[in-house]
């Protein structure tokens, strides 16, 4: 992996601003080429040394995020002390590139003037993803998608930008790309925040219908607390559904949706199909919210916030179609 590196003093606001401007320029060049791999820079100190845990403002948030994937435990721990290392000497330089980006963005988000550059970078990345509509062009390296971790970092600092996380995933994403290399960051958010506005904003802005399935079937398939269950949330907390519906409208005012292929209830459908399979395979299975009779009757027979789900789906799609045509 050929790695462009930008020198920065993370304790100096002017150096951070200059480094992130250079990073933004390199990202723009990569976007113009139509592929990010080997075109996105990492960072080193102005002394030419690799960054390490001691340079982070706070270790735990970055550690928790990267631990969203089992395989990242080893990678994160290996980056603890790099004083005697060079990037060419690392087993996986892309792990360091991602780590250095998180470290520099973490510092940059503490400065209002630098934060605006970070927001611009994140919005440019999402615009590129939307334009390309192909998860294959989002790779940082062979086994890492670029940027989703930066969007999560931004959203945790500025929740109003959580919609960028969902909008990042192209509608035409490859299921394996998202399951293996993107879904863990959604698992991290849900484990940390539950059905907080931040999480619902991200899910509502997602065009990729398979996102919740990707979370459910990755490494965490046997750990339900890491996968959002929208049917359970909305049936027990109607106010969360009303928030989600409003978030859908906002998200697709920003990024118009193809109403012929987008399903605003893709997550609900996934949850319900999983539940129906449980009923079909287990005679003694029982769910506290949805009876066996309801499961057999089908998803459209359910009511959501006082309306039949089928009617809600049609109404939402018509309204989203109107937004798209208006845009």
């Amino acid at each position: 992996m050929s790695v462009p590196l930008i020198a920065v003093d993370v304790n100096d606001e002017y150096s951070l601003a200059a480094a992130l401007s250079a990073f933004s320029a390199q990202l723009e060049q990569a976007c113009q080429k139509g592929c990010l791999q080997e075109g996105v820079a990492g960072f080193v100190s102005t002394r030419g040394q690799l960054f390490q845990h001691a340079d982070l403002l706070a270790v735990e948030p970055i550690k928790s995020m990267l631990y969203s994937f089992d395989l990242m435990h080893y990678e994160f721990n290996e980056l603890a002390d790099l004083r005697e290392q060079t990037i060419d000497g690392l087993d996986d330089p892309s792990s360091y590139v991602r780590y250095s980006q998180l470290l520099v963005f973490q510092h940059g988000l503490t400065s209002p003037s630098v934060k605006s550059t970070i927001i611009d970078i994140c919005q440019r990345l999402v615009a590129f993803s939307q334009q390309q509509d192909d998860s294959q062009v989002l790779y940082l390296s062979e086994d890492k998608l670029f940027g989703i971790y930066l969007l999560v970092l931004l959203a945790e600092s500025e929740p109003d930008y959580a919609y960028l996380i969902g909008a990042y995933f192209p509608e035409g994403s490859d299921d394996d790309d998202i399951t293996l290399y993107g879904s863990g960051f959604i698992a991290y958010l849900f484990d940390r925040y539950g059905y907080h506005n931040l999480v619902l904003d991200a899910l509502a802005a997602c065009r990729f219908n398979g996102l919740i399935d990707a979370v459910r079937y990755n490494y965490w398939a046997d750990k339900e607390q890491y996968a959002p269950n929208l049917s359970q949330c909305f049936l027990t907390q109607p106010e969360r559904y009303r928030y989600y519906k409003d978030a859908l409208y906002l998200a697709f005012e920003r990024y118009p949706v193809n109403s012929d292929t987008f399903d605003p209830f893709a997550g609900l459908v996934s949850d319900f199909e999983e539940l129906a399979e449980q009923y079909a395979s287990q005679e003694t299975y029982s769910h506290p919210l949805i009876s066996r009779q309801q499961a057999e009757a089908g998803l459209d027979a359910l009511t959501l916030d006082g309306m039949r789900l089928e009617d809600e789906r049609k109404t939402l799609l018509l309204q989203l179609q109107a937004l798209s045509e208006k845009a």
Side-chain angles (χ1 to χ4, degrees), residues 75 91-92 113 115 119 131 163 202 315 327:
E75 293 177 11
D91 291 337
D92 182 5
S113 60
K115 183 183 295 185
I119 292 169
Q131 179 184 20
Y163 70 90
T315 300

Side-chain angles (χ1 to χ4, degrees), residues 248-321:
L248 276 174
Y249 296 143
L250 287 173
F252 294 109
E253 282 179 350
R254 298 181 179 108
Y255 301 104
V257 63
N258 182 350
S259 56
D260 293 332
T261 56
F262 174 71
D263 184 356
F265 290 150
L268 283 170
V269 171
S270 172
D271 295 337
F272 189 85
E273 289 176 348
E274 184 81 7
L275 183 146
E277 286 181 14
Q278 295 289 338
Y279 272 120
S281 62
Q282 303 176 48
E283 291 184 2
T284 59
Y285 181 77
S286 176
H287 190 276
L289 297 174
I290 300 174
S291 68
R292 182 176 295 274
Q293 290 74 22
Q294 287 175 310
E296 291 174 350
L299 184 66
D300 290 339
L302 288 179
T303 59
L304 190 61
D305 198 24
M307 290 187 66
R308 289 179 64 248
L309 198 63
E310 183 180 11
D311 296 333
E312 272 288 79
R313 189 200 301 257
K314 289 178 180 177
T315 300
L316 272 174
L317 285 174
L318 285 172
Q319 291 170 329
L320 292 175
Q321 184 179 15

Side-chain angles (χ1 to χ4, degrees), residues 23-88:
F23 180 86
S24 178
Q26 289 201 351
L27 174 61
E28 182 60 36
Q29 289 179 359
C31 289
Q32 293 297 327
K33 292 178 181 178
C35 182
L36 303 183
Q37 193 163 338
E38 297 189 1
V40 180
F43 297 92
V44 293
S45 76
T46 51
R47 299 184 301 277
Q49 294 177 318
L50 302 185
F51 290 116
Q52 54 195 348
H53 290 359
D55 298 308
L56 288 165
L57 282 176
V59 173
E60 193 56 38
I62 305 301
K63 177 181 176 181
S64 296
M65 186 195 304
L66 293 182
Y67 268 38
S68 299
F69 296 89
D70 287 343
L71 297 178
M72 290 185 182
H73 290 211
Y74 172 78
E75 293 177 11
F76 184 80
N77 294 333
E78 284 293 292
L79 298 170
D81 187 352
L82 300 175
R83 283 172 294 184
E84 305 302 322
Q85 292 275 15
T86 64
I87 195 161
D88 292 332

Side-chain angles (χ1 to χ4, degrees), residues 6 57 67 118 126 179 188 198 300:
I6 297 170
L57 282 176
Y67 268 38
I118 290 176
V126 170
T179 299
Y188 159 77
L198 183 157
D300 290 339

